[in-house]
Amino acid sequence: ALSELSQLIVTLRPLTATMPQARVAKIVRVLYEKLLTVEGGLEAGVETGKEIIDWCIKEKRTFLKHRMQTKLGSVYLELKKYSEALKTIDAVLFEVRKLEDMLLLVDIHLVETKVYIALENIPKAKASLTAVKTASTTVNLHPAVQADIDLLSGYIAAEERDYSTGYSYFYEAYQGFSNLKDMKMKQVLLYMIMCKILLKANDDVFALLNSKLGAQHHSKYTDALKAIATSNKNKSIVEFEQCIGKYKEELQDPLIRSHINKLYTQLLEDNIKKIIMPYSRVEIDRVAKA
């Protein structure tokens, strides 16, 4: 199926000579999207994407070329080839800025934001997301794009330790994905719970998990965060360590893992302070055993 789809994209090219450019663009993009969903399609999508872009340049199909370059950038992102993704995005961004195609600018900067988040470069991710929001002020966004923007806004707010703002953005993203019946809503719910834990609003965590919403998305992942919230409420470093060991797989999301580690460090510091505060002199060995 993989080779057949790639061949079909090539075979159709001569037939597009008499077709309207908009229809050609739609056909090529739909076939390319389908190719990416096939097993091994992402790797094949790189070469096929480059071939389509070269054909667009030869046929002077600028509209399709820009969209294919943007999509190729997102394929590189999925493959974790971040330098290639940024190089591809930079090339198309230079041309699209001149044309002031705001819808496409939103898509380009969204990919750019995701690349910088993957690289853990939050200042540049924030600058790219600001560019997304600036470009989006003059166009009507698809609900899926708006939900994506809210998700990324929450992600960056959380990385800046502004968990209250992060929760608000994640809530908006959850509503957006829920309306679209997009399964991303499950991951966003975990981020919402994480923010409440980091705000030390443990009662809110339990209320959220015991609500209809929490019951609807109950899983090992929500169990893991509930256990973390319980140990955090009890201020028990032993319980916390047991949770991390028991739910190691469920806590592998980069954002959750990073902030749970920060919470662990804070809890450890609080426990050490609690032990040493009553004393004017402290033996390190005694603290280590406590």
Side-chain angles (χ1 to χ4, degrees):
L2 183 62
S3 59
E4 290 171 358
L5 266 174
S6 299
Q7 188 59 43
L8 180 59
I9 294 172
V10 175
T11 306
L12 280 175
R13 289 176 191 171
L15 303 177
T16 61
T18 57
M19 296 170 64
Q21 287 202 20
R23 182 173 293 179
V24 172
K26 184 175 182 179
I27 292 171
V28 172
R29 288 164 64 191
V30 167
L31 288 173
Y32 187 68
E33 289 281 358
K34 184 65 70 176
L35 173 68
L36 298 177
T37 62
V38 179
E39 186 177 352
L42 282 174
E43 291 78 5
V46 171
E47 290 307 315
T48 303
K50 287 179 179 178
E51 288 175 8
I52 295 172
I53 291 167
D54 290 341
W55 175 74
C56 289
I57 294 170
K58 182 181 177 182
E59 297 293 322
K60 297 182 180 179
R61 295 179 182 268
T62 306
F63 175 89
L64 179 57
K65 183 190 79 168
H66 289 158
R67 276 149 184 78
M68 285 304 304
Q69 285 175 308
T70 305
K71 189 62 187 178
L72 181 59
S74 68
V75 171
Y76 279 131
L77 171 61
E78 288 290 324
L79 292 171
K80 298 182 180 181
K81 295 182 177 181
Y82 303 125
S83 59
E84 289 92 336
L86 287 175
K87 184 178 178 181
T88 305
I89 288 301
D90 286 343
V92 67
L93 192 56
F94 179 75
E95 295 182 22
V96 174
R97 274 180 179 153
K98 293 180 182 178
L99 299 173
E100 297 186 352
D101 185 339
M102 294 304 174
L103 271 175
L104 186 54
L105 275 175
V106 168
D107 290 340
I108 294 169
H109 285 302
L110 272 176
V111 176
E112 187 179 47
T113 303
K114 292 174 183 178
V115 172
Y116 283 128
I117 283 176
L119 291 170
E120 298 182 5
N121 190 332
I122 300 305
K124 285 195 174 183
K126 189 174 183 179
S128 296
L129 189 59
T130 299
V132 171
K133 294 178 179 179
T134 301
S136 68
T137 56
T138 57
V139 293
N140 292 320
L141 297 177
H142 188 280
V145 176
Q146 184 58 58
D148 232 9
I149 292 172
D150 290 331
L151 171 56
L152 294 172
S153 298
Y155 202 108
I156 289 172
E159 287 288 37
E160 293 180 331
R161 301 195 181 192
D162 185 354
Y163 302 118
S164 182
T165 301
Y167 179 87
S168 297
Y169 276 123
F170 287 138
Y171 179 78
E172 291 298 324
Y174 177 86
Q175 293 294 328
F177 289 129
S178 181
N179 291 335
L180 294 165
K181 293 182 170 43
D182 189 322
M183 287 300 104
K184 285 182 183 178
M185 61 182 171
K186 292 185 177 183
Q187 191 62 40
V188 176
L189 176 62
L190 297 179
Y191 292 157
M192 289 165 59
I193 296 169
M194 179 200 74
C195 286
K196 285 296 185 182
I197 292 173
L198 291 159
L199 286 167
K200 298 187 177 180
N202 297 302
D203 290 339
D204 287 350
V205 173
F206 302 132
L208 186 59
L209 288 169
N210 293 327
S211 67
K212 184 179 178 181
L213 180 67
Q216 181 184 352
H217 299 297
H218 176 261
S219 65
K220 287 185 178 179
Y221 298 94
T222 56
D223 286 342
L225 291 178
K226 185 176 182 179
I228 291 291
T230 301
S231 61
N232 187 45
K233 185 178 182 179
N234 296 338
K235 298 181 180 179
S236 171
I237 198 73
V238 174
E239 287 182 28
F240 205 104
E241 288 174 343
Q242 289 173 346
C243 291
I244 293 174
K246 182 178 179 180
Y247 295 106
K248 187 176 181 181
E249 293 300 319
E250 287 77 15
L251 298 172
Q252 283 305 303
D253 178 88
L255 183 66
I256 292 176
R257 185 177 68 243
S258 170
H259 289 281
I260 292 301
N261 287 340
K262 289 173 184 175
L263 184 62
Y264 173 80
T265 301
Q266 183 61 54
L267 187 60
L268 182 61
E269 289 177 2
D270 291 344
N271 272 262
I272 292 172
K273 288 176 185 176
K274 185 178 178 181
I275 294 168
I276 66 175
M277 277 185 69
Y279 306 100
S280 57
R281 292 185 179 183
V282 179
E283 292 181 6
I284 300 300
D285 285 347
R286 181 177 175 80
V287 174
K289 293 174 183 177

